[in-house]
Amino acid sequence: MITFGEWLPDQPALNNAGATEAKNVVAAMQGYRCFRQLSALSGAATNKIRGMFAGKDDDGSAALYVGDSAKLYKMNAATSALTDLSKGGGYSSAAGKAWRFAQFGEAIIATNFSDAMQTNTVASGSAFADLSGTPPRAHFIAVVRDQVMVANTHDSSDGNKPYRIWWSGINSHTSWTPGTALSDYQDVADAGNCTGLVGGEYGIALFDRGIVRLSFVGAPLIYQVDKLTNERGCAVPGSVASVGPSMVFFLSDDGFYLLRGNEVVPIGAQKINRWFLDRFQSANRDNVVSGVDPINQNVIWAYPSLNSGDGENDEILIYNYHLNRWSYAEQATTAIAQLFTAGYTLEQLDNITTNLDTLPASLDDTIYQGGTFFFAGAKDKKVQGFTGDCLNATVETGEFSPAPGRRALVNNVLPYTSSKSGQSPTITAAIGSRSRQIDQPTYGSTSSINADGYCPVRSSGAFHRVRISTSGDYDLLQGVDVDLQQSGMR
């Protein structure tokens, strides 16, 4: 069997032990599984969604918040509507600015840099209000130990300070006066602009040309700032995704990296970096969003490809950090986040759809249970879950030469594809063949799988690769076998 191995588009197709295409799939230990399209869970916001967040209060009640350029919303599970909870007058987010959120105790804090930081109480129905204590405006926000930390700031005294990191007083999200209650700030003046901030037991701040770690040490320093590297930084602010501060993923000028402890690990080099950078519409990098799906151990980056006519995100790059393998999908989304459901009764499911057959997930899916984690995107101004139908997939083997220097005729392809009860995917195969390495492969017509499990094909050449395409739900694409006959030199 020729297995569908690791997708390595930056490597030559010939004798590529992996896959030369892995579209609309996610990597598995042996092969690829389906990637599900987004399916709407909420009503529509006024403008495109540029940030999502879910929190829980002390009683365990979950609430889902959403921001667009002019408003902040809370999702109402009883109606699926996005209820406007903006402060009076709303907001004026500048183009390309996203809402970023943090929870401190039972307080939700939201920042978009353009407006004063906003706060609300988790699961309340009240409107947002300006955060008291005169905090700076900020691009990034996180909670580090017992303090709120922000970065890339603006305040009335000093104006824009893109290299500044500022933290609140100890155990207080409303104390922002430097020198009071352990509130203070630190300028990192030799690493460019801050492009990301990650919280936890310690803080990680990413800059254009460096990465620093902030460790709490108490008065008088408060935080010890250690530069982890000044050789590489984060080039795209929306590309920072993390599993706590110990695993931070980001896009640099030359590709994708993982910060693991003190070590910066290249994860895309010689694999997908060149493919991505040739495809990435960098002029619209402000639209990039990212997130980690810890259940499936995937990091997802949504980005605008060169095929995007309006510069909006139209593709998703997927990295499984357990398997160290990549894939991608054609899926538009303006925001990505780990969320908690607010919970639905059977009657409230009517707010999503009145037809059980068109629910975005099966009735026993945990997405309908209150407080249950789900991984979400935003599309068409709505909160959406990755719970829809399998996207039509395309996976290709590497290129093989049955007998070097000789041609071969491929007659049949036997796909190894598994499906679960109730699934009936459509599977087709096509052969890409060429006579010389300097030629481009020519694909014959697609052939559907017959009653014997074969896809009849006919293609002659010295070099061959197999393309398997699917529609409908399936479980795993594992690989193929080919039936071929060797022929002469010409």
Side-chain angles (χ1 to χ4, degrees), residues 465-478:
R465 62 186 78 175
V466 182
R467 174 185 292 169
I468 296 296
S469 301
T470 72
S471 63
D473 285 5
Y474 64 93
D475 184 43
L476 179 68
L477 303 175
Q478 188 172 358

Side-chain angles (χ1 to χ4, degrees), residues 237-242 249 287-292 299-302 335-337 375:
S239 71
V240 178
S242 67
F249 304 88
N287 288 330
V288 171
V289 293
S290 60
V292 173
V299 189
I300 290 182
W301 290 270
I336 289 175
F375 194 64

Side-chain angles (χ1 to χ4, degrees), residues 244-263:
S246 61
M247 293 179 66
V248 181
F249 304 88
F250 63 96
L251 174 60
S252 190
D253 290 317
D254 60 345
F256 290 91
Y257 288 85
L258 161 64
L259 174 66
R260 185 171 54 203
N262 295 337
E263 182 183 16

